[in-house]
Amino acid sequence: MRTFSAKPIPEAERRWVMIDANGLVVGRLASIVAMRLRGKHKPSYTPHVDDGDKVIVINAAKAVLTGKKRDKKVYRYHTGYIGGIKERSAKSILEGKFPERVVEKAVERMLPRGPLARVQLGNLRVYPGPDHPHAAQNPEKLDVAAMNRKNSRSA
């Protein structure tokens, strides 16, 4: 037998997948999205090739954090200056101007670091509300809540 290894072709078989994040747990949603972006759900998965799907996440502002994470989870970043470490809670981000960043960061941190992951992260589109400009791509809906009962949580 021979091991299949995909070649990095630009015309890879890509599908557009849309996920409604309304009531979904952020971590479980992010792990499913990261797996789709990498292409691990396909039998032709090869670690060094970008052959994952393009993923649209809508209603990201309505995603749920379990336990006390909404109040106690802290996102830290550094300004680049001495003593310039800043932090914000998940609650302040979700109530702020860009609530979809919680989902984006969760997915970004579930991908391996490097140039390939940055390309794969470019295949992710996250929108805080139900509207998105990708109707022409005919995205197929993926029901994440039906995959496992723990994936969704009522607020």
Side-chain angles (χ1 to χ4, degrees):
M1 291 185 83
R2 293 182 182 219
T3 303
F4 174 77
S5 180
K7 304 286 186 282
I9 4 175
E11 308 90 35
E13 181 77 25
R14 291 189 196 279
R15 296 192 332 227
W16 283 79
V17 178
M18 185 174 71
I19 299 173
D20 188 1
N22 189 5
L24 294 181
V25 178
V26 171
R28 289 174 169 271
L29 168 67
S31 66
I32 291 168
V33 170
M35 189 165 42
R36 285 274 174 170
L37 288 173
R38 291 194 71 195
K40 292 185 96 172
H41 63 288
K42 296 181 179 180
S44 62
Y45 169 71
T46 308
H48 65 278
V49 176
D50 176 26
D51 66 342
D53 294 338
K54 295 188 180 266
V55 180
I56 304 165
V57 179
I58 59 171
N59 290 324
K62 296 179 183 174
V64 178
L65 292 165
T66 58
K68 296 182 180 178
K69 290 189 203 98
R70 185 174 172 87
D71 298 319
K72 295 195 174 188
K73 184 167 178 60
V74 176
Y75 291 91
R76 292 186 178 90
Y77 65 97
H78 201 283
T79 62
Y81 289 95
I82 297 170
I85 193 157
K86 305 276 185 178
E87 58 184 34
R88 293 179 70 192
S89 69
K91 181 179 181 180
S92 67
I93 294 173
L94 286 170
E95 293 173 353
K97 194 173 179 181
F98 302 105
E100 67 273 11
R101 287 188 182 164
V102 171
V103 175
E104 287 175 1
K105 279 294 175 188
V107 172
E108 177 186 337
R109 291 171 179 174
M110 287 192 185
L111 292 173
R113 279 33 163 199
L116 180 61
R118 287 189 288 274
V119 171
Q120 290 169 344
L121 200 60
N123 294 329
L124 174 67
R125 311 290 195 283
V126 184
Y127 298 101
D131 302 327
H132 65 88
H134 306 288
Q137 279 73 30
N138 295 324
E140 64 181 60
K141 294 188 180 193
L142 182 65
D143 192 8
V144 176
M147 289 180 178
N148 189 338
R149 65 178 182 83
K150 293 181 180 179
N151 288 350
S152 64
R153 190 71 55 102
S154 60

